[in-house]
Amino acid sequence: QLQLVESGGGLVQPGGSLRLSCTTSRRIISWSSMGWYRQAPGKQRELVGTIFNRGGASYADSVKGRFTITRDNAKNTPYLQMNNLRPEDTAVYYCNVQYRNVMGDLNQSWGQGTQVTVTS
């Protein structure tokens, strides 16, 4: 069982920046992908972006050019750098990691979320 914990959320003005972090109690070794999702009140959870161990990345159209996912080398968990934030980015942000166990089965872990609020 992997426990993920997000941090770095807060209240910012439009045009501002935040960097979200995701930590674990132990390093993830056999990861296949890692990324971030978000959920606004009354809406379904949606993909923000993800990076793949095999290479490459995928981002939602709404955040392309503004958000960047990078890897924490110590834990193999994702950072999320958010620039030029907009009010519509307001949501609870969740980190996610997909990984293989020793049997080769795919597993997935989620954090509890961190609130990002963009408003004047």
Side-chain angles (χ1 to χ4, degrees):
Q1 185 179 4
L2 285 171
Q3 301 291 331
L4 304 180
V5 180
E6 302 94 339
S7 62
L11 192 152
V12 296
Q13 294 185 346
S17 298
L18 284 175
R19 190 191 191 202
L20 306 184
S21 299
C22 178
T23 61
T24 62
S25 59
R26 62 181 179 90
R27 190 173 190 269
I28 300 169
I29 299 175
S30 299
W31 67 279
S32 60
S33 66
M34 61 180 69
W36 291 86
Y37 291 71
R38 66 186 182 186
Q39 187 169 21
K43 298 181 66 178
Q44 292 186 321
R45 187 174 299 188
E46 65 177 355
L47 173 69
V48 175
T50 185
I51 59 175
F52 304 96
N53 202 347
R54 65 178 182 269
S58 180
Y59 294 92
D61 288 341
S62 59
V63 307
K64 285 180 179 177
R66 300 187 297 120
F67 292 8
T68 304
I69 295 172
T70 57
R71 179 172 60 89
D72 183 322
N73 292 329
K75 297 291 187 181
N76 280 334
T77 52
Y79 291 112
L80 179 64
Q81 179 65 49
M82 303 184 293
N83 298 324
N84 193 23
L85 283 160
R86 305 167 180 170
E88 52 264 41
D89 295 320
T90 296
V92 177
Y93 284 71
Y94 301 88
C95 66
N96 171 268
V97 180
Q98 295 186 67
Y99 61 97
R100 300 280 182 179
N101 61 21
V102 294
M103 301 297 294
D105 300 322
L106 185 66
N107 290 275
Q108 181 173 254
S109 292
W110 294 88
Q112 293 298 307
T114 185
Q115 177 70 47
V116 172
T117 303
V118 185
T119 182
S120 297

